[in-house]
Amino acid sequence: MFVKTNTTGFADALTCEAEGLESLREVLVQVGVEHLRIPQVAEVDQYKLVMTQIVSVAPDERGQALLGEGLARLHQQEREHYGWGRDNYIGLSPQPNGLTESWGQFFVDYRLRYQVSRIADPVIRERFQRVVDQSSAALTRWLDSHCKHPSLLHGDLWRGNVLFDHDGPWLIDPAVYQGDREADIAMTEMFGGFGAAFYRAYDSVYPRSEVYTTKREIYNLYHYLNHYNLFGAGYLGGCERGMKVVARI
């Protein structure tokens, strides 16, 4: 078994992670996906999370395709509400949540507004707040009109949170909530590392929408804001690009 210790400073961080892992497992079992796996949680408290040990190898095309197909089938499962029933974490940041019928409202209020409110530089914070305030109604309508249903999202789907062994892919370190499935796909493109076989397999099961490229910039704005708040100015350019897309909606 693998033992992960809590280095976040948040007492319930590992409990939230374990809940996310179990939620992903439940849906994958419901849809009959066996080749996209979730570590089994053996024990969790505020100090440690004990779970399946994964002996990772470099991914091949087969593994990437299994990941794409499994994720698409996870996303096809319709959930009841947007959001999540408790606050959790994304990396080293709190991730507030709530339940709503409007995807656009959830994303604007619980993702963009929250991250903008955490910006330390008052000039940048106020400038970004103006963009979000002025675009809020239009962005909410646009996102609602281009999202078919809530899907369970991994929430932090960069290449470091997918491992592969000889039997295929594993998902780790989720920041789960229910939302537009293309938010997960958008993040796979933020840092790269997902091969063409992944996207082909995903699209063969659940093709991306005609407005995906615009969504990608909007959804990754959340992650650029989070990384800017955590790691500094190297991510400001990504925030600026995303805000320009939001302002044009």
Side-chain angles (χ1 to χ4, degrees):
M1 302 297 282
F2 174 74
V3 180
K4 179 176 181 177
T5 56
N6 189 355
T7 59
T8 67
F10 303 110
D12 62 340
L14 295 180
T15 304
C16 290
E17 181 177 338
E19 179 185 272
L21 290 170
E22 291 306 310
S23 297
L24 288 167
R25 181 198 318 286
E26 287 175 9
V27 177
L28 288 169
V29 168
Q30 287 172 13
V31 298
V33 172
E34 298 179 353
H35 51 261
L36 176 55
R37 293 156 298 158
I38 308 297
Q40 181 74 48
V41 174
E43 182 183 349
V44 63
D45 57 30
Q46 70 182 83
Y47 305 107
K48 66 183 180 302
L49 171 59
V50 183
M51 56 186 167
T52 307
Q53 175 83 46
I54 302 165
V55 180
S56 61
V57 300
D60 56 16
E61 281 205 5
R62 172 183 171 275
Q64 291 274 358
L66 290 174
L67 174 64
E69 179 191 341
L71 191 68
R73 292 177 64 188
L74 170 76
H75 287 164
Q76 283 179 324
Q77 181 78 0
E78 296 188 20
R79 311 298 286 175
E80 189 173 354
H81 303 287
Y82 295 104
W84 197 242
R86 64 176 288 176
D87 296 346
N88 53 19
Y89 303 90
I90 181 162
L92 296 174
S93 295
Q95 181 169 259
N97 292 302
L99 294 173
T100 177
E101 301 305 310
S102 168
W103 164 240
Q105 178 188 0
F106 177 85
F107 187 79
V108 170
D109 290 343
Y110 288 90
R111 295 297 177 259
L112 297 186
R113 285 193 198 279
Y114 175 72
Q115 284 293 338
V116 170
S117 76
R118 301 186 75 212
I119 294 174
D121 186 317
V123 175
I124 295 173
R125 183 177 65 246
E126 290 167 15
R127 180 159 57 85
F128 285 177
Q129 281 175 338
R130 283 196 299 273
V131 173
V132 174
D133 288 345
Q134 290 168 3
S135 305
S136 162
L139 180 58
T140 296
R141 288 192 299 270
W142 191 86
L143 291 176
D144 283 345
S145 69
H146 291 291
C147 181
K148 292 182 178 179
H149 62 81
S151 300
L152 181 61
L153 307 183
H154 177 281
D156 194 11
L157 197 61
W158 70 290
R159 64 190 180 204
N161 285 342
V162 181
L163 298 179
F164 296 83
D165 64 13
H166 291 294
D167 294 320
W170 296 78
L171 296 179
I172 63 170
D173 293 354
V176 297
Y177 63 99
Q178 294 160 167
D180 184 351
R181 48 97 182 206
E182 290 183 312
D184 262 355
I185 305 304
M187 196 180 185
T188 67
E189 296 200 69
M190 186 169 168
F191 298 113
F194 292 76
F198 164 77
Y199 297 103
R200 283 197 303 270
Y202 186 93
D203 288 337
S204 72
V205 175
Y206 199 179
R208 283 169 285 177
S209 71
E210 70 281 359
V211 294
Y212 166 74
T213 56
T214 301
K215 285 185 179 182
R216 181 182 61 202
E217 305 307 311
I218 294 169
Y219 293 154
N220 282 347
L221 173 57
Y222 170 54
H223 299 295
Y224 276 115
L225 288 167
N226 183 43
H227 280 69
Y228 173 61
N229 284 325
L230 288 172
F231 306 118
Y235 293 95
L236 183 57
C239 299
E240 299 279 8
R241 290 192 300 274
M243 285 293 172
K244 288 179 181 177
V245 175
V246 166
R248 292 198 299 266
I249 291 296

